[in-house]
Amino acid sequence: MKILVPNTIELQLHADAEVVVYDVTADIPTGHRDAEVLVTWQNPADRLASAARDLGALRLVQTLAAGPDAVLAAGFAPDVRICSGRSLHDGPVAEHALALILGAVRRLDLLHDAQQERRWDTEYIAAQSAPATRGAFTLAGAHVTIWGFGSIAGALAPLLQLLGAEVRGIARSAGIRSGVEVHADDDIAALLAETDVLVSLVPAAPETADLADARVFGMLKPGAVFVNVGRGATVDEEALIDALESGALRAAAIDVMKTEPLGEDSPLWAAPNLMITPHVAGNRPVGASALIDDNVARLAAGEPLRNQVAR
């Protein structure tokens, strides 16, 4: 069996197979188009499409991304199994999400601006200690809602709870997950009205495009904070800017955008009270080699694959 692994990550594989490193920015060389397994990480969309066209012997595509949307859209043959990198990013994304949540809630962006201006921010000090706004600067007692309750949410929720937040979730179906009460998508109006911090971990799919829109921002508790570490396609960016400009949202922090890299002319750069990071929340898959080894062994043995999302 031949496995193609990307040059964008260092892997230590122990699979009984021929392992070939390929350049994600180029077409797969002719001599390696007989590969049965393709591992992807940070592959451009056009190169994924060419791999789907050229790799006629392919049996498995193992993406290291938590969301398989880019691979699913590339046009691989229906008989090719596609597996996601679910669980590889739970820790890193939960860490980054927590950092963005704390940064937005405690308004570290304002303090950073004051530092750059060499200004002791007395207005911030007064606002933080004022009885009317004191609760806005802490997670203790805050109602945090995580929309898209998978394994990353399961890692993030206990971190928030340790800081005193009351955490609830939204997913396609209701239930208790990781000890957290999760509500169905159809039952969100009352939940959002009580939400102080809305965290989006929603995956990209046709039905989730622009899911966080003006209607959703309008249902949130006035002065809520919004954080997106899921997918940029799930947020109506014009509605987000409007909500920040109107004060409906107190602050927001996003790690993902519809267009990446974000262009210099994007209005997001100038949006008030918005923190932006360049899609780095899940930039280091943890346990990728073990997942690939396991799925290659399962493929060879004809066993069910981990994280399979297609076929």
Side-chain angles (χ1 to χ4, degrees):
M1 184 181 299
K2 180 181 289 185
I3 306 173
L4 299 180
V5 299
N7 64 345
T8 47
I9 186 172
E10 184 175 339
L11 298 166
Q12 299 293 330
L13 301 185
H14 299 94
D16 184 15
E18 179 185 358
V19 178
V20 177
V21 177
Y22 71 95
D23 182 354
V24 300
T25 65
D27 286 339
I28 304 297
T30 303
H32 294 308
R33 293 182 182 178
D34 58 344
E36 294 181 66
V37 178
L38 175 69
V39 180
T40 70
W41 177 241
Q42 298 177 339
N43 298 54
D46 58 341
R47 298 281 72 80
L48 282 176
S50 64
R53 180 189 66 237
D54 296 336
L55 301 182
L58 203 60
R59 298 171 61 195
L60 166 64
V61 177
Q62 174 67 68
T63 177
L64 303 183
D69 44 293
V71 171
L72 290 173
F76 288 97
D79 61 337
V80 175
R81 301 183 187 185
I82 295 175
C83 295
S84 75
R86 187 178 189 271
S87 82
L88 301 183
H89 303 275
D90 293 0
V93 176
E95 286 179 6
H96 196 78
L98 180 61
L100 291 182
I101 292 166
L102 287 170
V105 167
R106 298 192 68 91
R107 297 308 308 274
L108 297 188
D109 55 318
L110 297 179
L111 296 179
H112 178 264
D113 291 345
Q115 178 184 346
Q116 297 304 301
E117 298 169 6
R118 302 188 179 195
R119 172 173 51 86
W120 194 261
D121 198 338
T122 55
E123 291 184 5
Y124 179 97
I125 295 170
Q128 186 189 38
S129 60
T133 60
R134 188 180 304 152
F137 287 85
T138 180
L139 284 176
H143 290 81
V144 180
T145 300
I146 303 176
W147 200 337
F149 211 95
S151 60
I152 294 173
L156 175 61
L159 304 179
L160 297 167
Q161 290 168 329
L162 283 173
L163 293 174
E166 180 180 330
V167 182
R168 290 171 290 185
I170 301 174
R172 283 177 291 184
S173 58
I176 302 297
R177 305 184 190 179
S178 303
V180 174
E181 182 182 3
V182 177
H183 299 251
D185 285 335
D186 297 334
D187 186 29
I188 64 170
L191 183 62
L192 292 182
E194 298 176 350
T195 295
D196 296 297
V197 181
L198 176 60
V199 183
S200 177
L201 287 166
V202 176
E207 62 271 20
T208 63
D210 287 339
L211 184 66
D213 57 9
R215 174 176 169 272
V216 166
F217 294 136
M219 286 191 290
L220 280 170
K221 182 178 179 179
V225 167
F226 175 70
V227 174
N228 185 20
V229 286
R231 284 290 184 265
T234 65
V235 176
D236 181 335
E237 293 175 348
E238 290 186 8
L240 173 61
I241 294 171
D242 289 344
L244 288 166
E245 290 179 341
S246 69
L249 288 176
R250 172 172 171 254
I254 56 175
D255 183 59
V256 287
M257 307 96 216
K258 286 186 174 178
T259 301
E260 297 178 4
L262 194 61
E264 291 183 5
D265 59 347
S266 172
L268 287 169
W269 292 118
N273 306 321
L274 176 63
M275 298 171 60
I276 297 174
T277 56
H279 203 152
V280 291
N283 202 31
R284 46 187 177 93
V286 177
S289 296
L291 175 62
I292 297 166
D293 280 339
D294 189 16
N295 268 346
V296 168
R298 288 167 178 263
L299 182 67
E303 298 175 354
L305 305 182
R306 289 171 56 190
N307 297 353
Q308 184 167 329
V309 295
R311 184 173 180 254

